[in-house]
């Protein structure tokens, strides 16, 4: 049985990944700060208990553990618990983010709130480093472990495109580089590290922004036609599940991957049966200034 830790699984991509790992029978430790009894600074309704229940309903075993991944003692205790209860860790998904409310879309560095920007770096970079520091010795105990660093954008795309604002760009590029660095340290020790990005994710926050739900998300196309290329959190979850099931996944060590790109390799689909290839669409249609048309892209 696969033992996985999805760090940052309260909502969004983390929740989708955890549930799809449950669908392949994994035991999944899901972490986050929001529980049914305590909310994080997000003040959002989603909880880690709900995610754990989704894992179990999908066919796996979901275990919710409240953890602030900036707190070294909490992360250390989390890994010690996994070791005590399972004796191994096969998959680490570093999905901690928590910064949607901290960056400004239209302010340069010198006008951006400095405290918010530095908090972004702490939440989205330091947390990944702390989690890997404590979890990797357990993951390396058995050969074949997988580390997935979740980011926004592929290495190729982010190398030539400025991502929103200074702090956002720095964070997402840093995570890509973390995956590359880990690949150099883990590869010779029998494990694999990759960076993975979803496309335009229909997270709870994004759906709320457009005033729609998953069942009627296409209603948002009236205001944002390019949202037609969007994907559910299950899609990137299936990308991770495909990597976990691939005995030859070491071929991806150090790679920057996307849900849409991996769908072309492994043949999985989104919940509606389509296979959106968002990053190719962004380059060839959206950034090129063409009218929204997903023909050939999903």
């Amino acid at each position: 049985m696969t033992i996985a830790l999805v760090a940052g699984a309260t909502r969004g991509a983390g929740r989708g990944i955890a549930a799809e790992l449950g669908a392949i029978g994994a035991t999944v430790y899901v972490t986050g700060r929001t529980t049914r009894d305590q909310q994080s600074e997000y003040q959002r309704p989603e909880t880690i208990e709900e995610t754990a229940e989704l894992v179990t309903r999908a066919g796996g075993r979901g275990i919710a553990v409240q953890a602030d991944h900036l707190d070294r003692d909490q992360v250390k205790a989390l890994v010690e618990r996994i070791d005590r209860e399972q004796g191994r860790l096969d998959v680490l998904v570093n999905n901690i983010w928590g910064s949607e409310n901290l960056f400004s879309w239209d302010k340069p560095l010198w006008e951006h709130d400095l405290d918010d920007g530095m908090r972004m770096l702490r939440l989205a970079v330091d947390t990944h480093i702390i989690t890997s520091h404590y979890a990797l010795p357990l993951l390396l105990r058995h050969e074949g472990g997988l580390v997935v660093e979740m980011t926004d954008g592929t290495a190729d795309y982010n190398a030539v495109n400025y991502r929103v604002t200074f702090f956002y760009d720095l964070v997402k590029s840093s995570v890509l580089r973390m995956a590359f660095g880990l690949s150099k340290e883990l590869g010779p020790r029998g494990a694999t590290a990759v960076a993975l990005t979803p496309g335009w994710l229909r997270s709870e926050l994004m759906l709320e922004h457009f005033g729609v739900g998953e069942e009627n998300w296409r209603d948002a196309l009236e205001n944002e036609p390019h949202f037609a290329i969007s994907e559910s959190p299950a899609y990137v979850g299936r990308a991770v599940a495909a990597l976990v099931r691939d005995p030859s996944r070491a071929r991806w060590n150090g790679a920057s991957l996307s849900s849409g790109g991996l769908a072309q390799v492994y043949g999985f689909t989104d919940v509606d049966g389509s296979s959106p290839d968002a990053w190719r669409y962004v380059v060839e249609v959206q950034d090129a200034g063409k009218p929204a048309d997903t023909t050939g892209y999903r």
Side-chain angles (χ1 to χ4, degrees):
M1 177 182 291
T2 298
I3 308 300
L5 166 59
V6 181
T10 313
R11 60 186 65 84
R15 175 171 284 193
I17 291 167
E20 291 301 323
L21 288 175
I24 63 171
T27 292
V28 187
Y29 287 79
V30 298
T31 67
R33 294 173 296 171
T34 299
T35 69
R36 287 182 174 134
D37 299 320
Q38 183 178 355
Q39 284 189 322
S40 73
E41 63 201 60
Y42 256 74
Q43 296 297 300
R44 293 284 309 176
E46 302 87 14
T47 69
I48 55 173
E49 291 94 342
E50 291 170 351
T51 302
E53 289 164 2
L54 288 173
V55 173
T56 301
R57 285 203 298 270
R61 181 186 177 204
I63 302 172
V65 183
Q66 185 182 34
D68 181 342
H69 284 262
L70 280 174
D71 188 315
R72 300 182 187 188
D73 290 339
Q74 289 186 35
V75 177
K76 184 173 182 287
L78 164 68
V79 174
E80 288 174 346
R81 175 178 171 178
I82 297 172
D83 187 11
R84 184 171 62 251
E85 295 178 353
Q86 310 297 336
R88 65 185 298 136
L89 178 64
D90 304 301
V91 180
L92 168 62
V93 179
N94 260 329
N95 183 60
I96 311 143
W97 165 231
S99 301
E100 272 92 352
N101 300 323
L102 294 176
F103 64 91
S104 300
W105 288 84
D106 56 356
K107 291 184 178 179
L109 169 62
W110 56 92
E111 294 178 2
H112 197 287
D113 185 282
L114 189 56
D115 288 336
D116 285 351
M118 300 306 289
R119 177 68 172 166
M120 277 184 67
L121 296 178
R122 290 279 286 147
L123 284 172
V125 175
D126 291 13
T127 53
H128 289 226
I129 295 170
I130 291 168
T131 304
S132 291
H133 176 83
Y134 287 107
L136 290 180
L138 180 57
L139 183 132
L140 287 169
R141 190 178 297 170
H142 297 88
E143 192 168 357
L146 173 66
V147 177
V148 180
E149 286 285 343
M150 295 298 299
T151 188
D152 176 23
T154 64
D156 287 344
Y157 187 84
N158 288 9
V160 296
N161 289 276
Y162 186 54
R163 301 307 313 283
V164 183
T165 188
F166 178 87
F167 289 105
Y168 190 92
D169 185 272
L170 181 59
V171 163
K172 298 309 181 182
S173 296
S174 295
V175 174
L176 283 162
R177 194 66 186 180
M178 277 195 280
F180 176 77
L182 286 175
S183 75
K184 299 302 181 183
E185 298 190 349
L186 296 180
R189 295 172 171 84
T192 299
V194 302
L196 177 63
T197 178
W200 195 338
L201 189 71
R202 293 198 300 273
S203 65
E204 295 89 349
L205 276 76
M206 185 58 64
L207 292 171
E208 186 176 279
H209 170 75
F210 283 120
V212 296
E214 179 60 29
E215 69 286 347
N216 68 327
W217 67 268
R218 289 185 175 275
D219 290 350
L221 305 189
E222 182 176 348
N223 294 320
E224 177 45 78
H226 290 300
F227 196 54
I229 197 61
S230 66
E231 61 196 57
S232 78
Y235 195 50
V236 74
R238 291 172 182 180
V240 174
L243 289 170
V244 170
R245 288 179 294 183
D246 183 358
S248 302
R249 60 180 170 270
R251 61 185 161 139
W252 300 113
N253 191 42
S256 168
L257 306 171
S258 69
S259 49
L262 288 179
Q264 307 307 311
V265 176
Y266 291 113
F268 60 85
T269 65
D270 203 348
V271 292
D272 62 359
S274 69
S275 300
D277 192 355
W279 291 101
R280 187 167 62 89
Y281 175 91
V282 167
V283 171
E284 298 176 6
V285 180
Q286 186 171 328
D287 288 357
K290 297 179 181 179
D293 183 0
T294 61
T295 304
Y297 294 96
R298 64 175 312 146

